[in-house]
Amino acid sequence: MKNVNEFLKLLGLLLVFNSVSGQKTKPLPDGVEQWFSLRLQNTGDRKPIDNYDDDAAFFSTDSATVIGYLKGYKPSEGFRTGMIYIENEFSRADHPIVVKILEDGRFEARIPMWHPKVVEMVFNDREFQYYIEPGQTLGIIIDWPLFRKNDNDDAIQFYGLLADINIGLGNIPLPKIDDDWLAKQVRQVKPQKFKGETLLDWDTQKRILDSILAIRRYHEKLKALVHAELTIDMLMRLYKYTELRKREFREYPHDLVLQVPLPANFYDFNKEVDFTNNSIFISPNFSSFINLTEYGPLIKAVSLTDTEFLVTGLKKVVRLDEMRDSIARNELYLTNGKVYDLIRLHRLIAAFDPDLRSVGNDSLITYFETVKRGLYNSFYTQQADIIIEDALRKKEGRGIPLPGSYAGALFKKLIAPYAGKMIFVDFWATTCGSSVWDIQQMRATRDKYKDSKDFVFLFITSEDESSKRVYQSFVRKQQLANTVYLSSDDYRYLRELFGIYGIPRYAIINKKGEVLNSKSEPHEFMLEINTFNTVVQHSSTH
């Protein structure tokens, strides 16, 4: 297969690589070198974990630290911040972190952690990944002119106790899904054949990877990590194939290949995957795999419950849980454990969904406790408690005060003109089709409440997301009031404040200036408006 041939070429390149740790040390300015060395020495007593087998060591909420230096960076280039992107897979909360760059090119950031992770960092649209563990400090030196030019791996050097594993990751080639190739397979290859070819390719690539790892004495953690990455990649290939078939069939219902049904045992490959292996959590694609499972095969449970018209509220949610469990067990061959319990944990987030809005807290808490009862371990139940508290807070309308940080002060300034009003915030971009469509669809609602003393719509974008000319034209055509056009650096701080990965993204600010919901949807704007109007009407009649 295509990927195998490419992989063998990469293996040949690896055989002539002179050293896993062959970084060429480049001199640093005296002040930077002294700071860098001192920060790496003062990293605390916690050592990197020996392996990924011990759950108690693997799952941890200790934060990690990244320190670094952009060699050759000049503030005149127009950016003074970068971003680190990390997600809590347990709560589904995104945690983008602003990386402030000093005038001389130094940077430092503290990262929330839940387990070891391969994390993405971005400077001026140039991205790279690195491995980090809770409680650890990683040093990174980037030859900025070289990296900016061609993303050359030689432009990045790693230091500290996790340097070797990062260097090794950069030197071991791993296959990646070719989406164009996969799209062709969907129309050309029937499910059973595609599955068989993929499993054969998977076995071949395992043997190739073992050959690569045998060349040098790599750490066992690195071996486990790259094998886990291969596992996630192959699982996503199989899951993506099934999801693409659904989409293509809707467009081409008469296609003979697409008409072939998915075999009942298509997902039995899951039985051969060790889902107790913690290393799969480390992959940067692990969250995408969970989403593919949750919003792929398991999503049909929603359509099944929708046919049961008399089932509503909490009964509907419980019924949905039962159907998901049945599909997971009988069709996906997934049982309760680390991975499937992560999906079960996400059910708790549904406490703010419309189906549960009218359910009393006592009943909700009973439901929550039922979900918690079978979770994998105490770390999972701790994460469950955090999710439950946040869900109840939203349901009860309790806001979160803005922090005293730069981002908090910036946002307070932006909303100051609307003090005493509920604010519906839209983080958008002219380059985002969904953003543009939502704004157009909400125009009638905006017009209806444009003179409201209780509500206001606020639209925020930046120079990176929207060119000034297109922005001004769109604002004029849509008659948008209350618009903010930020610098890219300031917008990144709001990304951190509201946990924004992608757009459109919506937030609701209550009349006290507190964050009621930092991850809302347009229909929830109307829900809040209708709830408020109902309360006002009820008060006026008593």
Side-chain angles (χ1 to χ4, degrees):
M1 292 179 74
K2 173 186 173 185
N3 284 350
V4 172
N5 292 331
E6 292 180 351
F7 209 58
L8 287 169
K9 291 179 184 178
L10 290 168
L11 174 60
L13 291 173
L14 185 73
L15 289 171
V16 298
F17 188 81
N18 65 341
S19 172
V20 171
S21 300
Q23 295 188 125
K24 296 179 181 179
T25 303
K26 300 176 182 179
L28 302 177
D30 290 341
V32 173
E33 184 169 6
Q34 185 178 14
W35 168 83
F36 195 76
S37 300
L38 187 62
R39 288 295 291 111
L40 279 180
Q41 291 171 14
N42 298 329
T43 56
D45 298 328
R46 180 166 178 172
K47 303 297 182 185
I49 57 178
D50 294 327
N51 55 61
Y52 302 131
D53 299 333
D54 184 358
D55 288 344
F58 186 84
F59 295 107
S60 170
T61 55
D62 280 359
S63 60
T65 302
V66 173
I67 64 167
Y69 176 58
L70 283 177
K71 185 178 181 182
Y73 161 79
K74 298 177 181 177
S76 60
E77 293 183 58
F79 70 99
R80 295 174 181 270
T81 58
M83 292 295 295
I84 292 172
Y85 291 97
I86 189 168
E87 177 188 3
N88 179 352
E89 290 93 351
F90 294 91
S91 66
R92 274 225 172 102
D94 296 326
H95 290 271
I97 304 296
V98 173
V99 182
K100 184 178 179 180
I101 308 168
L102 301 182
E103 295 282 332
D104 61 3
R106 288 179 294 154
F107 62 85
E108 182 171 347
R110 203 161 184 81
I111 312 168
M113 300 289 292
W114 300 270
H115 52 77
K117 187 77 176 170
V118 174
V119 179
E120 182 179 82
M121 183 181 285
V122 181
F123 288 113
N124 203 28
D125 295 329
R126 310 301 281 183
E127 60 189 54
F128 66 97
Q129 295 179 336
Y130 60 89
Y131 170 83
I132 192 75
E133 294 180 8
Q136 296 302 305
T137 297
L138 178 67
I140 304 175
I141 295 177
I142 303 172
D143 185 327
W144 178 242
L146 180 61
F147 184 68
R148 181 183 55 198
K149 185 177 180 181
N150 57 14
D151 291 344
N152 193 316
D153 287 339
D154 291 338
I156 302 176
Q157 298 174 310
F158 296 101
Y159 297 87
L161 298 177
L162 297 177
D164 281 350
I165 196 168
N166 275 285
I167 296 165
L169 276 176
N171 293 333
I172 299 176
L174 284 170
K176 299 296 180 185
I177 296 175
D178 184 332
D179 288 329
D180 292 334
W181 170 83
L182 188 59
K184 292 178 182 177
Q185 296 292 297
V186 167
R187 298 285 300 277
Q188 297 173 0
V189 183
K190 296 177 182 179
Q192 196 63 40
K193 183 180 179 183
F194 179 83
K195 174 185 170 182
E197 290 179 346
T198 299
L199 295 180
L200 180 62
D201 189 24
W202 191 349
D203 184 66
T204 301
Q205 293 195 34
K206 283 180 184 176
R207 288 186 279 108
I208 293 172
L209 191 54
D210 284 335
S211 298
I212 293 174
L213 294 171
I215 295 172
R216 289 181 176 81
R217 299 175 64 182
Y218 288 98
H219 195 286
E220 291 301 316
K221 284 165 57 177
L222 181 60
K223 294 179 182 179
L225 201 160
V226 294
H227 267 295
E229 182 61 32
L230 176 61
T231 295
I232 292 295
D233 181 84
M234 288 297 169
L235 289 173
M236 288 185 64
R237 184 191 297 187
L238 289 159
Y239 276 68
K240 275 189 172 183
Y241 171 83
T242 63
E243 293 310 301
L244 282 173
R245 286 188 92 244
K246 295 177 187 176
R247 189 182 70 187
E248 290 292 294
F249 182 72
R250 287 193 291 269
E251 191 168 350
Y252 306 101
H254 302 297
D255 186 287
L256 294 179
V257 173
L258 294 174
Q259 285 180 359
V260 176
L262 207 66
N265 66 342
F266 182 84
Y267 292 98
D268 64 3
F269 54 80
N270 279 328
K271 293 191 290 186
E272 305 303 318
V273 178
D274 182 8
F275 286 115
T276 67
N277 189 338
N278 286 331
S279 57
I280 63 174
F281 282 77
I282 300 172
S283 168
N285 295 313
F286 177 68
S287 179
S288 297
F289 164 66
I290 293 296
N291 286 338
L292 275 173
T293 304
E294 205 163 351
Y295 294 105
L298 292 178
I299 199 66
K300 75 176 182 179
V302 175
S303 60
L304 292 173
T305 56
D306 285 343
T307 64
E308 301 179 356
F309 300 109
L310 298 179
V311 180
T312 59
L314 189 55
K315 288 184 179 180
K316 180 177 180 180
V317 172
V318 172
R319 181 70 179 130
L320 181 59
D321 291 349
E322 292 171 349
M323 288 183 172
R324 283 173 175 156
D325 288 344
S326 176
I327 294 169
R329 184 171 52 253
N330 299 316
E331 298 181 29
L332 302 184
Y333 303 90
L334 292 175
T335 56
N336 289 5
K338 292 176 185 175
V339 171
Y340 189 60
D341 279 9
L342 191 66
I343 294 173
R344 293 177 61 230
L345 194 61
H346 293 163
R347 297 173 184 172
L348 299 174
I349 304 172
F352 198 50
D353 286 355
D355 283 325
L356 296 181
R357 279 288 185 113
S358 60
V359 176
N361 280 7
D362 290 343
S363 297
L364 268 182
I365 291 172
T366 299
Y367 166 69
F368 291 152
E369 291 300 322
T370 301
V371 175
K372 281 174 55 180
R373 196 170 298 131
L375 292 176
Y376 176 70
N377 64 11
S378 60
F379 188 85
Y380 279 63
T381 56
Q382 289 168 9
Q383 293 296 307
D385 287 337
I386 294 172
I387 295 171
I388 291 169
E389 169 55 30
D390 191 55
L392 291 175
R393 177 193 62 76
K394 291 177 183 177
K395 184 175 183 294
E396 294 166 2
R398 290 182 280 126
I400 300 176
L402 291 167
S405 61
Y406 175 82
L410 171 64
F411 191 70
K412 284 179 183 178
K413 184 177 179 180
L414 296 181
I415 65 174
Y418 318 110
K421 293 185 177 184
M422 180 170 282
I423 307 170
F424 303 116
V425 187
D426 184 342
F427 296 95
W428 70 290
T430 58
T431 53
C432 172
S434 297
S435 291
V436 170
W437 191 88
D438 283 349
I439 288 174
Q440 291 169 338
Q441 293 301 306
M442 289 287 288
R443 182 164 183 172
T445 302
R446 295 197 308 273
D447 290 344
K448 181 178 180 179
Y449 291 99
K450 65 181 180 180
D451 297 321
S452 173
K453 297 179 181 179
D454 299 298
F455 311 104
V456 67
F457 293 87
L458 177 63
F459 300 88
I460 302 177
T461 189
S462 83
E463 57 192 1
D464 267 1
E465 279 70 25
S466 307
S467 72
K468 194 64 174 286
R469 181 182 60 81
V470 178
Y471 161 79
Q472 291 173 333
S473 174
F474 183 78
V475 166
R476 185 170 56 254
K477 288 179 181 178
Q478 284 295 308
Q479 297 182 356
L480 289 182
N482 313 317
T483 61
V484 177
Y485 191 79
L486 294 173
S487 69
S488 297
D489 287 320
D490 278 348
Y491 193 77
R492 290 186 193 108
Y493 280 103
L494 294 191
R495 278 186 179 273
E496 177 177 299
L497 181 64
F498 288 95
I500 302 171
Y501 267 26
I503 50 175
R505 181 65 175 272
Y506 309 94
I508 300 176
I509 310 301
N510 67 19
K511 292 190 172 188
K512 297 179 182 179
E514 301 169 331
V515 180
L516 180 61
N517 191 349
S518 63
K519 199 173 185 178
S520 185
E521 295 291 342
H523 71 269
E524 292 181 293
F525 291 177
M526 290 308 304
L527 192 60
E528 290 296 336
I529 289 174
N530 292 337
T531 299
F532 179 84
N533 287 338
T534 299
V535 171
V536 171
Q537 291 171 5
H538 179 76
S539 300
S540 64
T541 59
H542 288 79

